[in-house]
Amino acid sequence: MNWRDVPPPHHSTPLGRRGFLGAVGATTGASLIGTLDAAPASAAVRAAAERPVRTRSGLVTGVPAALDGVTVYKGIRYAASTAGQNRWRAPRPAPSWTGIRKADTWGAACPQPVTGIDAGKVPPLSEDCLNLNVWTPEADAKARRPVLVWIYGGRNSAMWASQPVYDGAALAAKGVVVVTFNHRVGAFGGLVHPELSAETGHGGSGNWGVLDTVAALRWIRRNIAAFGGDPERVTLAGWSHGSSFVNILMISKLARGLFHRGLLAAGVQYTKDPALGHVAGGYDSLAAAEANGSAFAAYMGASSLADLRALSADEIVSKVYAPGAPSTGTDFGNVLDGYVLPTTYTDAMESGTEYDIPVLTGNNRDENGASPTLAMTVAQFREYAATTFGDRAAGFLKLYPATADAEAAAQYNNYARDEERVSTFLWGTQFRDTAGNRSPLYNYWWTHAPPGTDTTNAIEPADGAGAYHGAEKYYLFGNLYGTDRPWTAEDYAIADTTSSYVARFAATGNPNGPALPPWPAMRATKPLAMELGDAFATLPAADSDAKFAFLKAYLLSQPTEY
C-alpha cells in the first residue's frame, strides 16, 4: 500500500467584531437561499448602487447585495475573450465601452464539465469568461478600504466566481472590498504544448489560469479605488488549487506589488512532503507537461496548434472528461515553466526570493487521507507503515500502535492529522527562517464539520464527512446565508469569529483584533497551530513531542522534488 492507495483527499466600525447574528437575525441559511440576487435594500443602498462608478473601460452601476449596506457589481470584464486565436494565450485587455453598463448579472463561467448542481444555478459557459465581481460597502475613492481577492479551487469542474459559497457581502459588511473572478480551468487553463512554448517567446507555456489572475490583479490595481478599495492593501486569497496560484505568485515576479498579503486555505505543505505530489499545490516539469500536451493533441485528433484552436470548446470538454478518457493527455495542472513559476518552491525559499508578505495559511482535520469514515485493516496499516517509513516503520508503529482494524483507521487518522500540521509548520519555518522573511505567518488547523450537505456547489465530498477539504470556506466568507445547510447558532458564531479574523488580516496583515481570541504568529521555536472551528485556541503541531520529532525527522529526510 503506497501513498496513492490511501483514500483520496477530501480536497483556507469596519474591523471590529461585528455581530453577524445581528446582521441576519435568527433566520437560518436555508430560508435565505435565492436572496443573493434580491436583497431587501434600503433606499440609500439602492441609490448608491445606481450611482455610476468609473473604471478604465467605462462606467458601471451595481445592485444591492445579499446584506443591506453592501453593493455588488457583477460580471465586469477584466480581459478580452479567450476564444479563437486567444485560446492558450496570455489574456488581452478588455474592450472599452461607451455609456453606462449595469453590472447586475453574473458573468459567464469558463468552459468545464458541470455535474451535481441544478441547471438553474449554473451560469452560461463561454470562452469569453474573464470577468469579475466586486462587493463594497462604499464605492467612494476616498474610502481606501482593504481589498480581498478570492481565487476559487476545485478539480476543474463546477468552478466559477459567482457560486453562493463565494458571496462577499458578509466580509464587505465588515469593511472589506471583496473581488472574485473567473479564470480558465482544465485544458483551457493548463495546456502545455511544444508549439505553445515556442509561440510564447519565453520558452514555456501553460499556467494560463495564473496569468488570468495576474490580469485580474492588474485590473484591480487600476480600478479598485473607484469602488472604495485601497490598491496598496490587497490580500490575494484562495482555496486548494486557488491557493496554489497564491503560492506561485509569491514566487513569480509577474504580480509583485499587485498584492500585499497572502491567504492560502488548504494551502501549503513542506516542500519535501511526499503529499505535494498528490495535492493541488504540486506541479509538473515543463518536459512532462509538454509530453502530456502532445498526448492531448493526439487524443483530440489534432496535428497542430491551429487544429487545436479550431476545435469547439464543447468538444474539448466532452472528450477530456468522457468516461474512459486516458489519464495521459487529459490531466492539466500547474507547471514549472520557468516564467510564471520561474523556480522550484524549495529554490525560492533557499534563495530568499519568496515574496516577503504577511501570510495566513492552514489545513483541515479531515483531508489528505484523514476521514471520520475511513476504513483500514491492521494489515493495510502495517503495510503502509513499511512502505512509507522503511526502517523507521517500527518507530512509527510504536507511536501509533494498532492491534484491531478500528484502531488502525483511528491511528492512521491521528498520524495523517499530525503530519499535516507538522508539514504546514515546517513550511512556515522555511518561509520565515530559510527564506529570511520578516513578515508574520499565521497558521491554522480547521476542525469544525459543517452540518448537512450543500446543493449549491459540487466541490465537497459526496459523504460530507468531517472537517473535509474546503469546509472552512463558508466560515472564512461568513456567508452562511447563501447556502442551504441546516446552520445552527454555533455555526453563525464560528463564522462571525472566522470572518472577523479574515477582515482584520486583510486590513492589517494581522488577524488579531478586539474581542477576538488571540492568534499568535508562528515561531520556529514553538511548533503550534491555531485551531479554528470547534475551538479558537492554540494546539501543538503534533499530539506529542515524540510524534512531532518523528514526523519532522521523516519529512526532513525526504528528497527535494518541488
Side-chain angles (χ1 to χ4, degrees), residues 278-312:
H278 317 293
V279 297
Y283 53 77
D284 289 326
S285 69
L286 180 61
E290 284 185 339
N292 184 74
S294 295
F296 166 75
Y299 171 62
M300 296 301 298
S303 60
S304 68
L305 182 55
D307 290 344
L308 285 173
R309 285 185 169 133
L311 295 170
S312 72

Side-chain angles (χ1 to χ4, degrees), residues 19-39:
F20 188 73
L21 281 170
V24 299
T27 314
T28 65
S31 65
L32 283 170
I33 287 295
T35 64
L36 299 186
D37 297 311

Side-chain angles (χ1 to χ4, degrees), residues 537-560:
T538 57
L539 77 169
D543 284 347
S544 71
D545 291 344
K547 291 177 179 178
F548 176 81
F550 176 89
L551 294 171
K552 178 181 177 180
Y554 162 69
L555 291 171
L556 290 174
S557 74
Q558 297 304 295
T560 300

Side-chain angles (χ1 to χ4, degrees), residues 37-194:
D37 297 311
S42 65
V45 171
R46 290 195 301 271
E50 293 167 1
R51 189 178 305 121
V53 172
R54 183 173 296 280
T55 74
R56 296 289 183 94
S57 299
L59 295 168
V60 295
T61 58
V63 291
L67 298 181
D68 196 18
V70 178
T71 300
V72 59
Y73 300 80
K74 304 177 181 179
I76 303 173
R77 295 171 74 183
Y78 67 87
S81 171
T82 61
Q85 292 304 304
N86 284 346
R87 184 186 286 170
W88 301 309
R89 282 184 169 152
R92 271 49 173 176
S96 299
W97 62 85
T98 58
I100 300 174
R101 284 194 174 181
K102 192 165 186 178
D104 62 349
T105 303
W106 304 119
C110 297
Q112 60 192 281
V114 178
T115 58
I117 298 180
D118 293 342
K121 297 176 181 177
V122 178
L125 301 178
S126 167
E127 288 187 88
D128 190 3
C129 60
L130 301 188
N131 55 75
L132 54 75
N133 315 299
V134 181
W135 286 261
T136 180
E138 185 180 11
D140 184 340
K142 298 178 182 179
R144 295 281 170 169
R145 297 179 183 273
V147 180
L148 184 135
V149 183
W150 181 264
I151 313 171
Y152 48 64
R155 296 180 179 177
N156 297 319
S157 173
M159 298 167 64
W160 52 84
S162 58
Q163 284 200 38
V165 68
Y166 304 132
D167 184 81
L171 283 174
K174 295 190 176 192
V176 180
V177 176
V178 178
V179 181
T180 65
F181 66 97
N182 287 320
H183 64 77
R184 286 170 284 182
V185 301
F188 303 92
L191 179 68
V192 181
H193 190 277

Side-chain angles (χ1 to χ4, degrees), residues 210-222:
V210 183
L211 288 171
D212 294 344
T213 303
V214 175
L217 287 169
R218 288 173 177 162
W219 186 97
I220 289 163
R221 179 75 180 179
R222 298 184 184 112

Side-chain angles (χ1 to χ4, degrees), residues 399-450:
L399 291 168
Y400 299 94
T403 57
D405 291 350
E407 285 182 322
Q411 290 288 37
Y412 179 85
N413 278 338
N414 291 338
Y415 144 70
R417 291 161 181 162
D418 283 345
E419 183 170 299
E420 189 84 352
R421 296 201 302 279
V422 172
S423 181
T424 302
F425 176 80
L426 291 179
W427 183 92
T429 63
Q430 285 183 306
F431 178 79
R432 290 300 311 279
D433 297 343
T434 306
N437 290 330
R438 297 185 178 183
S439 298
L441 183 145
Y442 300 89
N443 57 318
Y444 71 79
W445 179 245
W446 184 264
T447 59
H448 184 66

